[in-house]
């Protein structure tokens, strides 16, 4: 039902067999200024047809007609499950009968001797009917929303159960991974150590071995050494895949100096020079970032240009969120400031087309005969950055070095 204030012409069905009384009702409502259209009926069949074709907003009914009565008319509405305001207008109904009908659900009663109250009672009846419809609509919406909420809760329970199941599966996988690490650390490397030991014994003691035989043994030894390096690198990669270590506020200068000390021989050999600009402390997993810096410096040492002093520049700054957004980097939805760690060298670099693939595990841009390695080092760097919910970007230029920029969300990691 449209709210009665918005109804241009109220549709009034008048059940009355007395033409004079019906005209009196119409004249009174017209005189009162009500905008309406009316239909007058006096028999059961015409009344039922009018319900289905006239679509009244309200029914005004005489109490008693020769072949019909108000109570029978009202029962027709109830049987059809139609909620239309129903007002009885009569001079003979009596107060007792009026109360009984109202208890049955009739909207109101007006005496023909007090017809002046009809307009007020019609307005009130229409308003109450509209309020009831709005209430029923609200209840219906609430039921729909409640059903949707219950369904969502069931779905959430299912998802939580699935997550718990996945967590258990992941825990089992991690246990298997740790077992694999142990096997890799001991059972797989031990045969390789024995192979290399026996090769050394054969080369030292077998004096009659041909030059070709010694060359073959040397090649076996190189292959075994490479195999050991590959196992160790895979172990490093698996370790950084498990981010179960706490974050700490760290000063990278100490970590860098520690790595430089460990690689001092190679740094001296390559005549490496470090320029370290004011580093900003940051929340990180220290042992993982040590591995990251170790891999980046090792990478620069390996791919330096022969005969040219190796220059490495390391710095970090804080980028405000608006500054970071200007970089337009992919996969960076977090609304926060970012810690930017920059690592630059002047080595052999690579073509810009390889900027996006150098972090893929086992991806190598050079032949093994030119540069040793397993192609895992930068994949480990990428994995460490991922563990910190960060982004790493490479900017290479052939024979002009490479710059790595790492962006770590500050709020995210401060919360850890």
């Amino acid at each position: 039902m449209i709210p009665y204030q918005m109804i241009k012409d109220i549709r009034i069905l008048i059940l009355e067999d007395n033409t004079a009384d019906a005209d009196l009702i119409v004249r009174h409502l017209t005189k009162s200024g009500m905008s309406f259209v009316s239909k007058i009926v006096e028999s059961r069949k015409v009344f039922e047809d009018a319900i289905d074709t006239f679509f009244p907003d309200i029914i005004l009914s005489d109490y008693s007609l020769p072949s019909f009565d108000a109570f029978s008319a009202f029962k027709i509405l109830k049987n059809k499950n139609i909620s239309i305001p129903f007002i009885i207008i009569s001079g003979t109904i009596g107060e007792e009968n009026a109360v009984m009908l109202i208890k049955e659900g009739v909207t109101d009663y007006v005496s023909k001797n007090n017809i002046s109250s009809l307009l007020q009672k019609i307005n009130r009846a229409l308003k109450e009917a509209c309020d009831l419809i709005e209430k029923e609509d609200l209840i219906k919406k609430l039921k729909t929303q409640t059903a949707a909420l219950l369904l969502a809760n069931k779905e959430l329970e299912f998802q939580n159960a699935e997550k718990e199941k996945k967590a258990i599966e992941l825990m089992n996988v991690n246990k298997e991974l740790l077992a694999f690490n142990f096997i890799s650390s001991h059972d797989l490397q031990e045969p390789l150590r024995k192979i290399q030991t026996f090769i050394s014994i054969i080369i030292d003691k077998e004096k009659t071995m041909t030059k070709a035989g010694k060359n073959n043994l040397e090649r076996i030894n190189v292959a075994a050494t490479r195999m050991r390096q590959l196992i160790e690198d895979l172990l490093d990669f698996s370790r950084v895949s498990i981010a179960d270590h706490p974050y700490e506020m760290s000063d990278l200068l100490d970590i860098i100096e520690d790595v430089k000390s460990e690689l001092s021989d190679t740094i001296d050999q390559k005549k490496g020079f470090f320029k370290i600009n004011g580093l900003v402390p940051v929340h990180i997993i220290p042992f993982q970032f040590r591995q990251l810096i170790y891999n980046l410096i090792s990478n620069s040492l390996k791919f330096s240009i022969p005969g040219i002093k190796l220059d490495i520049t390391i710095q970090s700054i804080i980028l405000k969120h608006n500054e970071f957004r200007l970089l337009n980097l992919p996969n960076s939805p977090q609304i926060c400031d970012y810690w930017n760690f920059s690592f630059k060298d002047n080595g052999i670099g690579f073509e810009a087309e390889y900027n996006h693939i150098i972090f893929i595990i086992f991806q190598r841009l050079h032949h093994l005969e030119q540069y040793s390695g397993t192609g895992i080092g930068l994949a480990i760097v990428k994995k460490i950055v991922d563990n910190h919910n960060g982004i790493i970007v490479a900017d290479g230029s052939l024979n002009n070095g490479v710059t790595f920029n790492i962006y770590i969300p500050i709020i995210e990691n401060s919360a850890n």
Side-chain angles (χ1 to χ4, degrees):
M1 177 181 290
I2 301 171
Y4 78 96
Q5 301 95 332
M6 299 174 61
I7 299 175
K8 183 177 180 181
D9 291 316
I10 297 172
R11 306 176 71 81
I12 301 176
L13 180 62
I14 301 174
L15 181 57
E16 176 62 73
D17 63 330
N18 188 315
T19 304
D21 287 347
D23 289 343
L24 177 65
I25 293 171
V26 171
R27 285 197 306 273
H28 173 73
L29 295 178
T30 302
K31 186 178 179 181
S32 67
M34 175 178 282
S35 178
F36 69 97
V37 292
S38 62
K39 184 176 181 65
I40 301 172
V41 299
E42 60 179 61
S43 67
R44 180 189 184 102
K45 179 161 189 334
V46 179
F47 175 79
E48 288 182 330
D49 291 342
I51 294 296
D52 297 329
T53 58
F54 183 64
F55 306 111
D57 298 308
I58 191 168
I59 297 173
L60 306 180
S61 174
D62 190 8
Y63 175 64
S64 178
L65 292 80
S67 61
F68 201 32
D69 59 44
F71 187 66
S72 298
F74 182 69
K75 285 182 66 176
I76 290 172
L77 292 181
K78 290 184 70 173
N79 291 337
K80 287 177 175 286
N81 198 25
I82 298 174
S83 296
I84 300 175
F86 194 100
I87 296 178
I88 295 176
I89 303 175
S90 177
T92 61
I93 184 173
E95 185 175 340
E96 185 177 336
N97 287 332
V99 171
M100 183 270 294
L101 287 171
I102 289 174
K103 284 183 178 180
E104 289 291 328
V106 170
T107 307
D108 211 336
Y109 160 74
V110 175
S111 171
K112 287 185 179 180
N113 297 324
N114 188 25
I115 199 70
S116 60
S117 65
L118 179 60
L119 178 64
Q120 178 185 358
K121 293 193 175 186
I122 287 176
N123 285 333
R124 184 173 65 193
L126 289 172
K127 183 179 185 307
E128 288 176 354
C130 288
D131 290 345
L132 180 61
I133 289 175
E134 289 177 0
K135 182 179 178 181
E136 289 175 349
D137 287 344
L138 180 60
I139 292 173
K140 185 177 180 181
K141 288 178 182 178
L142 287 174
K143 286 181 178 179
T144 302
Q145 292 173 355
T146 301
L149 184 60
L150 290 173
L151 184 62
N153 284 338
K154 288 183 179 180
E155 179 65 23
L156 185 60
E157 288 175 4
F158 174 76
Q159 290 179 2
N160 287 339
E162 286 295 306
K163 287 179 180 178
E164 187 174 344
K165 180 181 176 182
K166 294 291 184 183
I168 293 172
E169 291 176 356
L170 182 60
M171 188 182 301
N172 291 332
V173 169
N174 284 339
K175 288 180 180 178
E176 292 174 1
L177 182 58
L178 291 174
F180 171 76
N181 287 348
F182 179 81
I183 292 172
S184 299
S185 299
H186 298 83
D187 298 358
L188 292 180
Q189 294 202 56
E190 184 59 27
L192 290 173
R193 282 193 289 267
K194 287 183 179 179
I195 289 172
Q196 290 179 301
T197 299
F198 283 121
I199 288 173
S200 298
I201 293 173
I202 291 172
I203 291 175
D204 290 341
K205 294 188 175 182
E206 296 296 330
K207 306 298 182 182
T208 59
M209 184 178 296
T210 64
K211 184 176 180 181
K214 287 186 177 182
N215 285 337
N216 287 334
L217 284 177
E218 287 292 346
R219 293 175 66 183
I220 294 172
N221 189 40
V222 168
T225 300
R226 173 168 165 74
M227 184 65 178
R228 285 186 63 182
Q229 184 62 54
L230 180 60
I231 291 172
E232 289 172 1
D233 286 351
L234 283 172
L235 283 172
D236 288 338
F237 185 80
S238 67
R239 289 190 189 104
V240 300
S241 295
I242 307 172
D244 58 353
H245 294 266
Y247 283 74
E248 297 177 14
M249 183 63 76
S250 302
D251 184 350
L252 292 186
L253 186 59
D254 294 338
I255 296 176
I256 293 170
E257 292 301 325
D258 182 46
V259 172
K260 284 171 60 180
S261 177
E262 184 175 347
L263 296 172
S264 59
D265 291 342
T266 310
I267 292 173
D268 292 341
Q269 179 187 348
K270 299 284 187 175
K271 295 181 173 57
F273 174 78
F274 286 79
K275 183 179 180 182
I276 301 175
N277 298 327
L279 297 175
V280 179
V282 65
H283 262 93
I284 53 172
I285 303 173
F287 98 93
Q288 288 195 4
F289 246 80
R290 186 191 186 283
Q291 182 73 54
L292 179 147
I293 291 172
Y294 180 93
N295 285 14
L296 289 179
I297 293 177
S298 296
N299 196 71
S300 292
L301 293 170
K302 182 188 301 182
F303 297 109
S304 60
I305 299 175
I308 295 179
K309 181 184 72 172
L310 173 63
D311 288 330
I312 295 176
T313 301
I314 302 175
Q315 62 184 15
S316 69
I317 58 173
I318 301 297
L319 290 178
K320 295 297 182 182
H321 173 60
N322 290 338
E323 297 174 307
F324 177 74
R325 287 183 60 189
L326 294 176
L327 300 176
N328 198 28
L329 298 176
N331 303 319
S332 56
Q334 301 188 61
I335 303 176
C336 62
D337 297 340
Y338 278 75
W339 176 76
N340 173 211
F341 176 79
S342 175
F343 184 99
K344 180 180 181 181
D345 67 31
N346 65 336
I348 64 172
F350 48 81
E351 288 91 344
E353 63 187 278
Y354 297 117
N355 285 340
H356 300 292
I357 68 171
I358 61 169
F359 300 111
I360 300 174
I361 192 167
F362 301 127
Q363 182 66 51
R364 295 175 51 87
L365 304 185
H366 308 281
H367 292 296
L368 186 60
E369 290 77 8
Q370 293 177 288
Y371 297 95
S372 62
T374 58
I376 299 178
L378 290 180
I380 291 175
V381 169
K382 175 69 164 56
K383 188 63 180 177
I384 291 171
V385 174
D386 289 345
N387 286 348
H388 289 75
N389 298 313
I391 302 168
I392 183 168
V393 179
D395 183 13
S397 178
L398 189 61
N399 297 319
N400 283 300
V402 61
T403 299
F404 294 98
N405 272 294
I406 295 170
Y407 304 93
I408 306 293
I410 293 175
I411 293 177
E412 174 79 10
N413 288 287
S414 295
N416 280 284

